Amino acid sequence: MTVIKSAKQVIAVVRWNFLGFFQNPRIIITFLFSFILCFFLSDKAMMVAEYYDSSMQAFEPFIWTFGDATSILLCSLLLILLFIDLPKLSPFTPYMLLRMKKSRWMLAQFFYILFVTVLYMGYVFLITSLLCIKKTFIGNIWSKTAALLAYSQMGRELSIPSTVKVMESTSPLSCSFQIMLLLVCYALSLSFFMLYFQMKIGKKAAIAAGLFYSLCGFLLDPNILAKILHKEEYEMYVIRRITGWISPLNHATYGMHDFGYDVLPSIHQSCLIFCMILIVLASLSLHTLKKYNFTSFTGE
């Protein structure tokens, strides 16, 4: 009975967090900006397919759009707008916390963030696929366009992450699933990072923390570091390996993983690191919640 009661309480808090979600102007604007972002980011791959009059596998537009660190960074900036009011606080919140354990309330926040993140990433996946639907096919094999981008310098020149090592190691379906998993893990870590600072200091600190988290990922990008340090690509091997392990954004980037050629984290290792980050942030948030000043909920 205790488990059932706990589950009902968690579900009730999650449902309460979703009240008015789809009528919120901020949410609508975020999804609208996401559509515009996907439109501009998928334009390069579509341009290649139209130029060579070749088809694409249905998942390839998503893979090429969000297999790149810059695209993930831009996508995550919209997540800051999406979770700017996390956690959802009102005079009703103390009532919920008095009737349930704080750990259950925190678990409900996790599920809320997870559901919203999956919904957002699913929307992004759908939009990138629909934008290129005229040139796509369903089969789970790499297309001629992917081969053109991977086996030539064209993909690198257009900043499209289609490489030989990816095509040799996985299929489009598996690749898109792994990219989606990494994006969700990164979004969860970013959201809980903002949640902790929101509860610890306030909303402005949460926004600053989200921007700082994204900025660190941007500055630890090997291509950005190469320009800052004035290094050639062959001189960046050690730095690329170090940043591949310490940067959350690089952990979320599919191309920054070990495919048997590099000493970089594997997909499983990145997911494990994200889980460790989430456990630490959730523990800190729960500790902060126990000392939270309840008058801030009511505005007194």
Side-chain angles (χ1 to χ4, degrees), residues 66 68-80 83 110 113-114 117-118 120-121 178-195 209-221 243 246-254 257 267 270-278 281:
F66 293 100
D68 175 67
T70 303
S71 301
I72 296 172
L73 179 62
L74 293 173
C75 186
S76 67
L77 290 176
L78 291 177
L79 282 172
I80 296 176
F83 292 118
F110 169 79
I113 294 171
L114 177 62
T117 301
V118 171
Y120 175 74
M121 293 304 171
Q178 292 176 60
I179 290 175
M180 178 72 76
L181 179 62
L182 292 172
L183 283 172
V184 169
C185 288
Y186 179 76
L188 285 172
S189 65
L190 171 63
S191 304
F192 261 87
F193 192 65
M194 292 178 62
L195 174 66
L211 293 173
F212 175 77
Y213 193 83
S214 301
L215 179 62
C216 287
F218 174 75
L219 294 177
L220 289 175
D221 186 298
T243 56
I246 66 174
S247 169
L249 181 61
N250 287 335
H251 279 291
T253 306
Y254 186 78
H257 288 84
I267 300 293
S270 289
C271 291
L272 180 61
I273 290 173
F274 276 124
C275 286
M276 294 171 62
I277 294 173
L278 282 173
L281 291 175

Side-chain angles (χ1 to χ4, degrees), residues 139-202:
N140 191 25
I141 57 173
W142 294 104
S143 67
K144 180 181 177 181
T145 306
L148 287 170
L149 293 169
Y151 289 93
S152 68
Q153 293 295 320
M154 191 185 311
R156 177 172 294 185
E157 291 172 358
L158 293 175
S159 300
I160 297 176
S162 176
T163 60
V164 177
K165 63 181 181 180
V166 171
M167 295 180 65
E168 289 179 346
S169 61
T170 186
S171 64
L173 178 60
S174 176
C175 183
S176 60
F177 174 77
Q178 292 176 60
I179 290 175
M180 178 72 76
L181 179 62
L182 292 172
L183 283 172
V184 169
C185 288
Y186 179 76
L188 285 172
S189 65
L190 171 63
S191 304
F192 261 87
F193 192 65
M194 292 178 62
L195 174 66
Y196 170 68
F197 278 91
Q198 165 79 310
M199 299 177 64
K200 186 71 175 179
I201 303 176

Side-chain angles (χ1 to χ4, degrees), residues 69-111:
T70 303
S71 301
I72 296 172
L73 179 62
L74 293 173
C75 186
S76 67
L77 290 176
L78 291 177
L79 282 172
I80 296 176
L81 181 62
L82 197 64
F83 292 118
I84 201 171
D85 63 343
L86 191 71
K88 187 177 180 181
L89 305 179
S90 77
F92 183 62
T93 306
Y95 172 77
M96 290 190 296
L97 289 171
L98 289 173
R99 293 181 61 87
M100 64 188 299
K101 293 182 178 179
K102 293 180 175 62
S103 58
R104 295 174 188 173
W105 186 84
M106 187 60 64
L107 182 62
Q109 305 308 311
F110 169 79
F111 280 114

